[in-house]
Amino acid sequence: MFGKILIANRGEIACRVIRTARRMGISTVAVHSVADARALHVRMADEAVEIGPPPSAQSYLDSGAVIAAARRTGAEAIHPGYGFLAENAGFVEAVGAAGIAFIGPPASAIAAMGDKIESKRLAARAGVSTVPGHDGEVPDAGQAAEIAAGIGYPVMLKATAGGGGKGMRIAHSQADIAEAFRATSSEARSSFGDDRILIEKYIEEPRHIEIQVLADAHTNVIHLGERECSIQRRHQKVIEEAPSPALDAATRAAMGEQAVALARAVGYVSAGTVEFIMDRERHFYFLEMNTRLQVEHPVTEMVTGLDLVEAMIRIAAGEPLALGQEAVKLFGWAMEARVYAEDPQRGFMPSIGRLTRYREPPPAANVRVDSGVHEGGEISIHYDPMIAKAVTWGEDRAAAAAAMRAALDGFQIRGVNHNISFLNAVMAHPRFLEGRLSTDFIAEEFPDGFMAAAPGRAEVVRLAAVAAVIHRRVVGREAAISGQLAGHEAVPGTIWVVRAGTDDYPVVLRDSGGGYEATVEGGTHRIVSDWHPGAALFEGTLDGAPVRVQVDRIGPGYTLFHGGVELRVLVLTPRAAALAALMPVKASPDTSKFLLSPMPGLLLSLAVREGQEIKMGEVLAVVEAMKMENVLRAARDGTVLALHAGPGDSLAADQAILEFG
């Protein structure tokens, strides 16, 4: 077994590998860019080596710097995590040439499966069913249109290299081809250094199912069941689960057999994932093989009880698999939700900044959080904006989903925008709970983008009762610590008015056996909690059921977060409420005459000039953030009055790019 390994990655996956290595008694070395000098993975590792400036191309993708760090520290093996160099065959060869073990598959398997064209050919030869499409790369948009017409629309254009949802576009007609080809090849070049494109039939109403495989160097290959990864946005997974609610035993066995057959055919060693796309009739087709650990691997660990990172390390050290296929058993259900620094209500644009508060859900036996951030840390423009992965387990799917909703309520994230309200909305959606999933779920259920749902009146009443209890505790504490004359002590009132938006909810509070009875709109709710002023999480029971509400005090009011709902309230005395109703409302500034950057990023190009007339839908600018290109279009006809930024400029969120006349 290795005595010391280097993790060639950052963030939550680096921390994840370090935790397993530590449990195995293996010392760890972290590598980091200048921007990540104070990152959590650097703090957790036994040693750390700086390998370059913030851009990943000059640090985490610098294979020479990574190998030099391993040599310098005496690391015997390198674990690549996922992303960066994880599926770089040249890096694997260089690691081997340096006399260092690679904790992953051989370079030959990575090369074969990393090229989507070659992998599809290999899969077909191995007897794996494949998606109909063009068997070769597509040189230009003109040929793309010809090929697509032959296959039949809709078609998927995708980069032959890479993954992670980058370099993929759907074309529904010939009119979409030119722009789809340009954007796909551009993203592929930027993300993977390889702009080759392939085209295949787009399966409508598809489900994304993947099979986890393990293979050792002693010809043993097994699979660990499936993961359902159909909840995706822009081809990037958002929520995953194991097992899939759509598979029966026969389909599971058939998928597993094909995944194992492909792994054998390519001479695979280590952990890997064979991805399939499945239609409504349970016909499935090979999509690609990821020759690395997957982001969503924890759900497989939760239902099998295995540690995939440990398995990878032991396989790389030459050990045979510890179990055969017949010993693989699935227990219960697991779900994973990816918590990102992004703004769901602004097209899921990345949110950059410092985490002024970061608290994970309270510990629980059925909740796991994999994160690579810490309070005070920074979400940088240079890297993926993932904050954490929340993973929950339950005896069945409903229990796992309920545990996830409770866990999401427990995250306290401030300083950046995040997607927890969106994750909660998906988890509570009737279609999701029924298991009627497809990769089009988000596009179909949120066709106009995501807007946080306004809470129903019953929910507002419940939160108003909680707000009144919170304020009662705050006022009681203030009364207890303020200087008072004997006989003139302040006595907190029992009647409060909770103002939510423009509506008032009078609440009458009464002490009741260690808790309160709150009467609102004719109903009485019993609330018990040990919450104290200053605590950011209100936990207790509401009408006998567990309740978890996040609390931010902002001036005289509070912002409450619960179940994906954000509710801002004022808790006032009846007299103060009457006076507050007389206050004028401040008008919001008019920004309709400006094109604003929807996110922090780089202005790649401007398609217009001052004085130019524009039409609705016309391309105005392209902004890049997190290696994704975002095309900004005109919302109406008009004239460009002035340009306020130019190509190459770094933009802040809401920064004006141009002004309309």
Side-chain angles (χ1 to χ4, degrees):
M1 182 49 62
F2 308 116
K4 181 187 289 188
I5 65 173
L6 179 145
I7 299 97
N9 219 296
R10 65 177 302 279
E12 61 88 13
I13 184 54
C15 296
R16 160 76 185 90
V17 175
I18 289 170
R19 282 192 291 271
T20 287
R22 179 180 296 156
R23 182 176 55 78
M24 296 176 69
I26 301 171
S27 297
T28 55
V29 180
V31 294
H32 66 89
S33 68
V34 172
D36 275 343
R38 298 182 181 179
L40 185 59
H41 75 284
V42 175
R43 297 181 180 188
M44 288 180 63
D46 298 297
E47 301 174 63
V49 179
E50 183 181 300
I51 56 172
S56 56
Q58 301 171 46
S59 51
Y60 296 105
L61 287 169
D62 186 339
S63 59
V66 171
I67 293 171
R71 282 175 161 168
R72 188 169 118 199
T73 57
E76 303 157 67
I78 294 176
H79 194 301
Y82 40 70
F84 295 136
L85 296 167
E87 295 178 285
N88 186 312
F91 174 64
V92 178
E93 291 173 343
V95 169
I100 302 169
F102 181 73
I103 303 174
S108 57
I110 292 176
M113 293 293 99
D115 187 304
K116 290 184 175 63
I117 295 173
E118 181 60 24
S119 67
K120 189 173 178 180
R121 292 170 178 164
L122 280 169
R125 289 200 294 270
V128 180
S129 57
T130 60
V131 179
H134 178 66
D135 189 15
E137 65 181 90
V138 183
D140 54 51
Q143 283 207 20
E146 293 179 13
I147 293 167
I151 296 172
Y153 290 98
V155 297
M156 172 76 82
L157 287 79
K158 61 171 70 174
T160 66
K166 295 181 175 65
M168 299 173 70
R169 292 291 189 281
I170 300 170
H172 293 276
S173 68
Q174 186 173 342
D176 300 334
I177 285 289
E179 173 60 20
F181 187 91
R182 183 208 65 78
T184 302
S185 58
S186 177
E187 275 186 10
R189 188 183 311 110
S190 173
S191 299
F192 316 120
D194 184 345
D195 62 0
R196 291 177 301 150
I197 301 299
L198 63 82
I199 298 181
E200 58 190 23
K201 180 69 176 175
Y202 177 69
I203 306 299
E204 298 190 81
E205 295 187 36
R207 298 180 82 118
H208 185 120
I209 312 290
E210 58 190 33
I211 302 290
Q212 176 73 57
V213 297
L214 279 178
D216 62 22
H218 307 277
T219 72
N220 300 308
V221 186
I222 63 173
H223 72 84
L224 305 180
E226 82 280 2
R227 297 186 287 257
E228 170 105 33
C229 305
S230 297
I231 304 299
Q232 302 179 6
R233 182 182 54 76
R234 297 175 183 167
H235 310 298
Q236 290 186 307
K237 300 163 190 171
V238 176
I239 293 173
E240 304 97 354
E241 59 186 296
S244 164
L247 262 61
D248 55 21
T251 307
R252 178 177 296 114
M255 274 189 175
E257 289 170 4
Q258 291 199 12
V260 168
L262 180 59
R264 289 190 185 281
V266 76
Y268 200 81
V269 174
S270 194
T273 301
V274 181
E275 301 195 349
F276 295 92
I277 196 164
M278 186 176 78
D279 66 20
R280 69 181 80 177
E281 305 301 327
R282 292 201 183 101
H283 300 134
F284 59 88
Y285 308 94
F286 170 73
L287 198 59
E288 62 182 341
M289 183 175 189
N290 285 291
T291 52
R292 54 172 168 80
L293 195 65
Q294 291 280 87
V295 177
E296 57 273 18
H297 76 274
V299 294
T300 295
E301 294 182 327
M302 293 283 265
V303 297
T304 61
L306 301 175
D307 184 325
L308 294 181
V309 171
E310 179 179 351
M312 293 178 74
I313 293 173
R314 293 192 179 281
I315 289 168
E319 296 183 14
L321 290 176
L323 74 168
Q325 188 64 61
E326 69 286 347
V328 176
K329 306 295 182 185
L330 305 183
F331 302 94
W333 213 284
M335 290 189 175
E336 176 181 290
R338 303 188 187 192
V339 180
Y340 280 105
E342 60 186 12
D343 190 344
Q345 300 189 91
R346 300 181 61 178
F348 297 90
M349 295 304 177
S351 180
I352 309 303
R354 191 167 301 282
L355 287 165
T356 57
R357 184 191 299 167
Y358 178 71
R359 297 283 192 278
E360 294 174 356
N366 65 336
V367 177
R368 165 179 167 178
V369 177
D370 285 8
S371 67
V373 302
H374 59 87
E375 190 165 283
E378 186 176 0
I379 304 297
S380 168
I381 193 173
H382 299 289
Y383 313 117
D384 187 272
M386 182 185 287
I387 296 174
K389 299 183 310 194
V391 191
T392 58
W393 182 91
E395 293 186 357
D396 54 29
R397 190 170 186 268
M404 178 62 75
R405 292 195 295 274
L408 292 171
D409 277 346
F411 271 102
Q412 301 169 50
I413 301 171
R414 305 291 183 270
V416 297
N417 293 312
H418 55 76
N419 67 334
I420 286 179
S421 59
F422 174 70
L423 295 174
N424 252 314
V426 173
M427 295 299 302
H429 197 287
R431 178 177 161 188
F432 178 84
L433 294 175
E434 291 168 13
R436 294 187 294 109
L437 313 181
S438 83
T439 57
D440 299 321
F441 178 94
I442 292 176
E444 291 171 353
E445 301 302 328
F446 304 94
D448 300 318
F450 174 74
M451 293 298 292
R457 195 165 186 87
E459 181 67 10
V460 175
V461 166
R462 285 161 48 87
L463 289 176
V466 171
V469 170
I470 288 169
H471 190 67
R472 172 66 177 77
R473 292 271 175 90
V474 169
V475 171
R477 180 175 181 271
E478 291 173 348
I481 64 176
S482 61
Q484 302 172 70
L485 294 174
H488 296 275
E489 292 84 3
V491 178
T494 59
I495 302 177
W496 302 96
V497 177
V498 179
R499 175 159 293 172
T502 58
D503 295 329
D504 285 347
Y505 297 85
V507 181
V508 178
L509 280 185
R510 299 179 184 85
D511 292 337
S512 175
Y516 296 92
E517 287 187 350
T519 301
V520 194
E521 295 199 334
T524 299
H525 303 275
R526 177 164 170 74
I527 301 171
V528 178
S529 174
D530 61 1
W531 184 87
H532 57 85
L537 193 64
F538 179 98
E539 289 192 279
T541 61
L542 174 58
D543 296 331
V547 65
R548 182 179 287 169
V549 181
Q550 292 182 41
V551 183
D552 281 353
R553 189 173 183 185
I554 303 175
Y558 306 89
T559 301
L560 307 180
F561 301 86
H562 173 71
V565 168
E566 177 179 332
L567 186 67
R568 297 185 179 184
V569 300
L570 285 172
V571 186
L572 307 167
T573 64
R575 175 60 176 162
L579 295 174
L582 303 176
M583 297 293 290
V585 178
K586 183 179 179 180
S588 300
D590 181 11
T591 60
S592 62
K593 293 185 177 181
F594 295 90
L595 174 68
L596 305 179
S597 178
M599 81 218 86
L602 179 70
L603 182 56
L604 285 185
S605 63
L606 272 172
V608 294
R609 63 183 184 280
E610 289 186 0
Q612 180 176 334
E613 292 187 2
I614 55 172
K615 299 293 183 182
M616 185 175 67
E618 188 174 340
V619 175
L620 303 177
V622 178
V623 176
E624 181 187 66
M626 306 295 181
K627 299 297 182 183
M628 297 287 283
E629 292 186 9
N630 300 274
V631 178
L632 307 184
R633 301 177 183 273
R636 56 182 174 80
D637 296 351
T639 303
V640 178
L641 180 64
L643 302 178
H644 295 291
D649 287 355
S650 292
L651 303 172
D654 292 327
Q655 181 175 335
I657 298 173
L658 58 85
E659 184 177 353
F660 304 107

